[in-house]
């Protein structure tokens, strides 16, 4: 557990974030809050004049404002970067995860499952017979660690998360509640009468510092590995199909779907409910707008939108044109009449 | 548990719904069924002449028909509002939830977790050390109630549902199976090399009589609270991001996504797979058609469709125009030829 | 458990798949792998000249190539159908599910719940008081089998899957991790002040050999049954609403949503994130492209795309036209100028 400093007053917090206290520093602060709320023991931030004005009308314990702010009528902290200062304060107020080393008496570790001494296996968690839980890893209640899985050092498997089988989780990862990693990929062949399942014998590999939200599904590979490289951040209710490879440091918002065997480059950003179809190769630095669907490979970084996804400027033009379609049809109808008249005259 | 009356025959059900029995009332009825099925011990309803005609061809224990129906050839119940009568019968046949007060021997309540006497903590449910489970609340098997959570009076947390932390559930709510409430909101900032997580220190607050389906994710706020006001009904596989606020009595169908900090007004209705992007303000009484995506704030009640969402009449016109686009292109090509001819002549 | 043959060398595998060994057959093979990877103890397949060329550059234990391949420079197996041969090898390498008959000491079977002798109830699984688990069925850890549910012979309920109530699962089915079947359908009526729940008293019936992925939701019927006929294969994060009926042998990809009471015919194929709205009737053999949304009934087999879904050829024309919309507008503007000029002249 990290050791948190003892901070009590607005003056304490001003010192903590390296800002300049203006006004009464004795107010007790016990929470972070939003600038748009009344929160007399809370501290908020206001990064521009609009929010500074809003803050002035609210009952707040204190507010962090840009260093150049003049005449703010209440106690406050001036700071060169209010957002960064606030981030530090959010860290301070974050609830520590309780981590008691050892296996909870209600958990079940199968014979052959290996749990390192400083790992924590929570209430009613399950560890399979050839799974490994490394140092400082935390399994929260109801976590399921299936055969052939490894939970890396310091990683956290949240309640009801499932590592089905052959899933290797790197260091300092977070697997969110209810998320399922390593279920059989969706592969079938039609034999003329029915669908025959293609056995899926591969695994999943998460790099270090991968963070995955709630209720996301990442399937294991047909053969080889589905690969989520280091530093990726994946939101809730995302689908990553078998044999997909995600380059490092991407951000995948909720509702995204990546179909089988697609390889996405580094530093991808995918907006809500966007996705890629199968067997594509996507360059580094490609951004998909919300709802966009990439249906063919993309070899240039940039922002893409629409279905099928095209460069965002083209997409915006098409959207504008689409809204005006009924008008365009009227214009064509008018033209047709006029031309008909002209042709009659000619 | 509610006390159900003892009803056995079609005559009993006619009396129960306050309708007029026509024909033999002695048939034994033991289930509700659909008018389109053969179900000799079942009761169905037929609210218009089409369904009345269908019912006449089926083997049914009885059928509720509009009061004005003449010459229906089988035993039936006449009622001013067949749908309402049927609703009452569905209530009658609904399976009672078994609720045994107390903590099941296989459940685990951490020291400091507080369970009221008349609450029910089911098999293998988990209650964290500073969580509270109020009177008449029901935790079904495998429910997880994390730190700082409160389950209000008479609320039901279904199997495998997860309240991660700092989630306050009002009275008489239902949290569906596998649903995850209170997971960390999805907030990251790029530091030039990697994504840095923004700590999420807020919570979630559900008002009274909120009902949530299966496998839905509602994230906790960065600071303050994600708020689902009283009476909201949310379907399966829905995503509600951090700091979202949903006004009372809305209906959110499956696959909906609401992005961070968006505030939706009262009595919203969102069709399947529709959604709003982040930081919007949506008026009371706004209806989104299925698949629609609201990308900017909406200040007038009404029905909206498409991506980006526009008033539904405009959207329908654009859809019609879209289907005719290839024809429109041909018309323009024809015009171009004609005009070229005319210009040659001129 | 099936009895697997003892296979060790490339020669063993050549005999196993009925292919012709070319080169050294003594290499030890211990995994299936992809043709695009270096895997010195693995066997891959290459079904066309592009993949054969790729295989030639890789370090592989062996590769299955088309029978007509000439001059392949490394040890290999010639086979009339490399893909089929590889499928057999995938079956060989698939991890056997450990199945120990009986009820695990940490599982909980309520009084009245019935588990057949050769069924397996895993760690911390739960069986309700009037549920039935048939011969050779497997409940994996944390499976929840609610009241009125039946798990058919040889079916597997994976970790954290939930059968809420009145769900009848056929024989040799697979219900994936975290999937929820039998939750209350989403039905409400507005009473002028609030939404009133319509009780859902029906069930769900899965035919034989239905396979369902992770985190999918299938709701029980208002009355009668939601029906998934035999042989259907359903991916992760799919929504099947109340009273839906899916004809046999369909394939439903991730993110699909089928709204209430829609009846889909046999051998359906639905691409990722596609769906149908409610109360439709869809013919046998209808294929929906990814993202397509069927908004009205379809009575002819074929491939459909777009929202609303139209025959795929029409959809492709509209997509092409859509991309060219901004150009079309320019063409109309040009025409308008020209016609204006002509009219001035006329």
């Amino acid at each position: 557990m990290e050791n948190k400093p003892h901070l009590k007053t607005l003056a304490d917090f001003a010192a903590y974030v390296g800002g300049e206290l203006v006004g009464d520093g004795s107010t007790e602060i016990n929470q972070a809050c939003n600038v748009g709320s009344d929160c007399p023991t809370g501290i908020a931030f206001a990064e521009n004049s609009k929010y500074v004005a809003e803050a002035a009308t609210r009952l707040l314990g204190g507010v962090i404002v840009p260093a150049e702010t003049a005449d703010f009528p209440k106690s406050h902290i001036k700071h060169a970067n209010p957002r960064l200062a606030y981030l530090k304060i959010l860290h301070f107020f974050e609830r520590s995860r309780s981590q008691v080393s050892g296996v909870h008496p209600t958990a079940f570790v199968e014979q052959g499952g290996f749990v390192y001494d400083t790992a924590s296996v929570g209430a009613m968690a399950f560890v399979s017979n050839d799974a490994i839980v490394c140092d400082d890893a935390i399994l929260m209640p109801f976590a399921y660690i299936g055969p052939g899985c490894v939970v890396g050092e310091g990683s956290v498997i949240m309640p009801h998360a499932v590592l089905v089988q052959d899933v290797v989780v790197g260091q300092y990862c977070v697997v969110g509640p209810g998320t399922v990693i390593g279920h059989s990929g969706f592969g079938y062949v039609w034999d003329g009468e029915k669908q025959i399942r293609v056995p899926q014998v591969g695994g999943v590999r998460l790099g270090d510092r991968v963070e995955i939200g709630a209720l996301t599904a990442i399937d294991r590979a047909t053969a080889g590995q589905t690969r989520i490289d280091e530093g990726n951040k994946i939101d809730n209710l995302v689908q990553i199909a078998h044999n997909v490879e995600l380059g490092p440091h991407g951000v995948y918002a909720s509702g995204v779907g990546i179909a089988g065997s697609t390889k996405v480059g580094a530093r991808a950003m995918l907006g809500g409910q966007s996705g890629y179809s199968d067997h594509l190769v996507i360059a580094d630095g490609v951004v998909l707008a919300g709802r966009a669907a990439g249906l063919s490979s993309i070899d240039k970084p940039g922002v893409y939108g629409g279905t099928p996804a095209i460069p965002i400027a083209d997409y915006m033009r098409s959207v504008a044109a689409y809204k005006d379609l009924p008008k365009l049809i009227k214009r064509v109808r008018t033209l047709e009449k006029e031309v008909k008249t002209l042709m009659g005259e000619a």
Side-chain angles (χ1 to χ4, degrees), chain A:
Chain A
M1 294 289 83
E2 52 187 327
N3 246 326
K4 288 187 174 175
H6 184 74
L7 305 180
K8 205 171 150 190
T9 65
L10 186 60
D12 293 341
F13 281 92
Y16 179 62
V17 301
E20 177 196 348
L21 173 70
V22 183
D24 176 14
S26 70
T27 309
E28 290 195 17
I29 300 295
N30 61 22
Q31 61 181 308
C33 61
N34 296 317
V35 77
S37 63
D38 288 309
C39 184
T41 61
I43 185 163
F45 82 110
E47 61 183 337
N48 60 36
S49 57
K50 177 187 152 197
Y51 289 118
V52 170
E54 164 103 49
T57 71
R58 293 291 186 174
L59 205 62
L60 292 165
V63 57
I64 309 167
V65 300
E68 65 276 15
T69 309
D71 302 324
F72 188 76
K74 300 179 177 177
S75 296
H76 60 283
I77 297 169
K78 286 185 175 184
H79 195 281
N81 189 335
R83 178 178 283 265
L84 206 68
Y86 189 66
L87 194 69
K88 199 170 173 192
I89 285 172
L90 288 176
H91 271 292
F92 175 79
F93 280 114
E94 199 174 23
R95 192 185 272 270
S96 299
R97 223 182 284 277
S98 70
Q99 183 192 356
V100 184
S101 296
V103 177
H104 193 277
T106 63
F108 190 80
V109 179
E110 286 192 337
Q111 192 154 14
F114 191 85
V115 177
Y116 278 66
D117 284 352
T118 63
S120 167
V121 176
M124 292 175 277
F126 177 91
V127 178
S128 194
N129 66 4
D130 64 346
I132 300 172
V133 181
C134 296
D135 270 330
D136 298 318
I138 301 178
L139 307 187
M140 294 183 70
F142 307 110
Y144 173 90
I145 311 301
C149 294
V150 177
V151 180
E153 193 181 319
S155 285
V156 179
I157 311 298
M158 295 193 65
H160 288 270
V162 176
L163 308 187
V164 183
Q165 73 178 52
D166 298 320
V167 176
V168 177
V169 174
Q171 300 187 343
Y172 307 103
C173 293
V174 177
V175 176
T179 279
V180 175
I181 308 183
H183 186 54
S184 189
F186 193 67
Y188 292 92
V189 291
W190 178 248
D191 77 350
E193 287 187 359
K194 60 187 181 303
Q195 301 288 347
I196 305 287
R197 190 169 65 84
V198 177
Q200 307 284 313
V201 307
V204 178
R205 158 122 216 142
L206 305 190
D208 296 340
R209 293 182 172 75
V210 168
E211 298 185 6
I212 300 172
L215 301 168
T216 278
I218 303 177
D219 286 348
R220 71 174 182 273
T222 308
Q225 289 186 312
T226 302
R227 231 183 59 206
I228 314 292
D229 290 350
E230 62 163 333
N232 272 296
K233 313 300 180 187
I234 299 177
D235 201 353
N236 307 328
L237 294 163
V238 170
Q239 156 77 359
I240 310 287
H242 50 174
N243 290 89
V244 162
E245 297 181 14
L246 304 184
H249 301 301
V251 175
Y252 295 80
S254 179
V256 160
I258 312 287
S261 298
T262 284
K263 295 178 184 9
V264 182
R267 300 179 310 283
M269 300 193 67
L270 276 81
Q273 305 180 333
S274 67
Y276 287 117
S277 58
D278 57 305
H279 288 89
L280 308 184
V281 178
I282 308 298
D284 291 349
V286 169
V287 176
L288 270 195
R291 286 281 174 102
L295 305 185
S296 51
S297 292
I298 296 179
D299 57 9
K300 282 190 194 135
V303 183
Y304 295 78
T307 302
I310 53 178
I312 193 75
D314 297 342
Y315 173 63
M316 297 308 285
R317 271 192 289 271
S318 285
V319 165
Y322 178 73
K323 285 171 73 173
D324 285 339
L325 254 186
K327 279 186 210 160
L328 186 68
I329 289 173
K330 277 187 198 160
R331 286 163 63 187
V332 170
R333 204 176 300 136
T334 304
L335 279 169
E336 286 169 337
K337 281 184 200 155
E338 292 170 351
V339 168
K340 200 176 171 190
T341 306
L342 286 167
M343 288 170 72
E345 290 170 357

